[in-house]
Amino acid sequence: MTTLPTARDVRTTPEGLRWEPSERWVRGRKGDVTVVDSRHPVLVWEPGVPVPAYAFPRKEVREDLLRPAKNPPAGAHTGSQIFYDLHVDGELLENAAWTFPSADLSDHIAFEWFLRTGKGLDHWYEEEEEIFIHPRDPHKRVDAIRSSRHVQVAIDGTVVADSHRPVLLFETGLPTRYYIPREDVRLDLLEATDRSTGCPYKGTAEYWSWRGEADVPPNVVWSYPDPLPAVGPIKGLLAFYNEEVDITVDGERLERPVTHFTRTPAKPPHD
C-alpha cells in the first residue's frame, strides 16, 4: 500500500538536502519593507549545517526586489544554486537570497538572516512572534525544569556558585545547563561584559567573565534577563559553560563535555 507524505514528513533530495513543509505563517522584513509573507514555507537542512533555513514559494516573495547576483559566492550553499541581490529603499544587499538546486525546491527562494550572517533580512516573524538568528528546529526540544538538586560550580578550585534551587535546561544535542539564582552565585568574583547574543529558543543573553587569573575564557557565564515564554523559569538566573568550569551535582563531579563551545564561549551560544 502506498502512503502519501504528510505535512510533517521529512524528505531527502539527491543533493543531500532534507526538507519538510511548515504550517507557520512567516514574514521577513528589511527595515520597514516586507520582503517575504508566506503561509507555505518549507524548512531546509543543508548537509553539515546543524540548523535549518526557511525557503519560500516564489509567489510569496517580493521578486520585484530581487536581481540576479553580480558577484555570486562560490560554495556558499549546497549545489549549483542561483543567487540574488536584494534592492530595498535604495540599498543593495549582495547575495541576500538564493535557490536550492533540488527539483523539489526549484520554485522556492531562501534568504540570509542578518543576525546570523551579517547580511540579509533583519526582522523575522513566525505568526506574531519575532524570531532571531535562524528558524527554530521542530525536531529540537528545549525544556527548563525547576529542581532541588545540589549544584556547585567551581573555577580553579574556588566555589563560585552553590545552590539547591537550580533550573535545569535540557536542550537536544547539548549538555544539561544549570541555571542558578543570583543570590547563590559569587557575583563579586565575576565581571559584567558588554557582550550580548541572541538565541532563537531562549532570547537575548548578557555575559560575565571571571575576575581571577585562572585559565578560563571570557564570557564564561551568561543569563537571559527577559527570556522567551517557553523557557520562562531561567529568567535572570546565571549559567556557566560546563566545558570550562567544574560542576558538581548531588556530590558527583561531572565530566567536562566536549562540544563546539569548548574553549570558544566567545561564539554566540544557543544555550
Side-chain angles (χ1 to χ4, degrees):
M1 181 177 67
T2 301
T3 302
L4 296 175
T6 68
R8 297 300 304 163
D9 283 341
V10 179
R11 302 99 190 261
T12 302
T13 75
E15 298 81 8
L17 298 165
R18 294 187 302 117
W19 68 277
E20 69 174 44
S22 172
E23 296 180 355
R24 303 188 183 197
W25 174 28
V26 178
R27 282 102 67 218
R29 292 167 43 192
K30 173 60 181 173
D32 294 328
V33 178
T34 298
V35 180
V36 175
D37 188 336
S38 177
R39 287 169 170 77
H40 307 90
V42 299
L43 287 161
V44 184
W45 289 262
E46 296 188 60
V49 180
V51 298
Y54 270 129
F56 309 97
R58 288 179 176 271
K59 64 182 180 180
E60 298 179 338
V61 171
R62 285 282 306 274
E63 286 197 85
D64 59 300
L65 302 177
L66 299 178
R67 305 287 188 277
K70 293 183 177 180
N71 301 294
H77 294 283
T78 299
S80 56
Q81 61 286 117
I82 299 171
F83 285 88
Y84 296 95
D85 295 337
L86 178 65
H87 296 255
V88 179
D89 286 341
E91 183 178 359
L92 169 64
L93 303 175
E94 291 191 336
N95 303 307
W98 74 95
T99 62
F100 290 105
S102 168
D104 292 350
L105 301 171
S106 62
D107 194 39
H108 289 69
I109 298 176
F111 287 82
E112 299 285 2
W113 291 40
F114 181 81
L115 290 180
R116 177 170 174 80
T117 64
K119 59 182 179 180
L121 306 189
D122 48 18
H123 292 284
W124 288 93
Y125 300 87
E126 290 177 343
E127 304 301 331
E128 296 303 325
E129 182 176 307
E130 187 167 8
I131 54 176
F132 307 92
I133 312 297
H134 60 77
R136 288 174 285 200
D137 190 329
H139 304 284
K140 188 172 186 178
R141 187 181 178 102
V142 181
D143 294 303
I145 303 177
R146 294 181 176 88
S147 176
S148 61
R149 294 197 194 197
H150 184 199
V151 177
Q152 292 180 307
V153 180
I155 296 178
D156 197 30
T158 299
V159 175
V160 67
D162 190 327
S163 182
H164 288 271
R165 47 181 185 155
V167 171
L168 276 56
L169 190 131
F170 301 92
E171 183 169 354
T172 305
L174 286 172
T176 302
R177 300 303 190 188
Y178 299 89
Y179 283 78
I180 299 173
R182 294 180 183 227
E183 298 83 359
D184 298 339
V185 177
R186 290 281 307 276
L187 290 173
D188 59 305
L189 301 177
L190 305 174
E191 183 176 9
T193 74
D194 60 1
R195 184 167 184 77
S196 176
T197 60
C199 169
Y201 302 100
K202 291 174 286 297
T204 301
E206 57 187 12
Y207 290 83
W208 289 260
S209 291
W210 175 245
R211 287 184 180 272
E213 297 181 356
D215 183 20
V216 180
N219 302 304
V220 74
V221 185
W222 73 91
S223 177
Y224 289 92
D226 189 21
L228 296 176
V231 291
I234 68 172
K235 179 180 177 68
L237 278 60
L238 276 67
F240 296 74
Y241 277 98
N242 310 43
E243 297 86 342
E244 305 295 343
V245 302
D246 296 317
I247 297 180
T248 301
V249 179
D250 292 337
E252 180 181 351
R253 171 87 165 267
L254 304 184
E255 291 187 12
R256 293 189 182 184
V258 177
T259 74
H260 60 287
F261 292 108
T262 300
R263 274 294 153 191
T264 57
K267 290 183 178 180
H270 301 297
D271 293 291

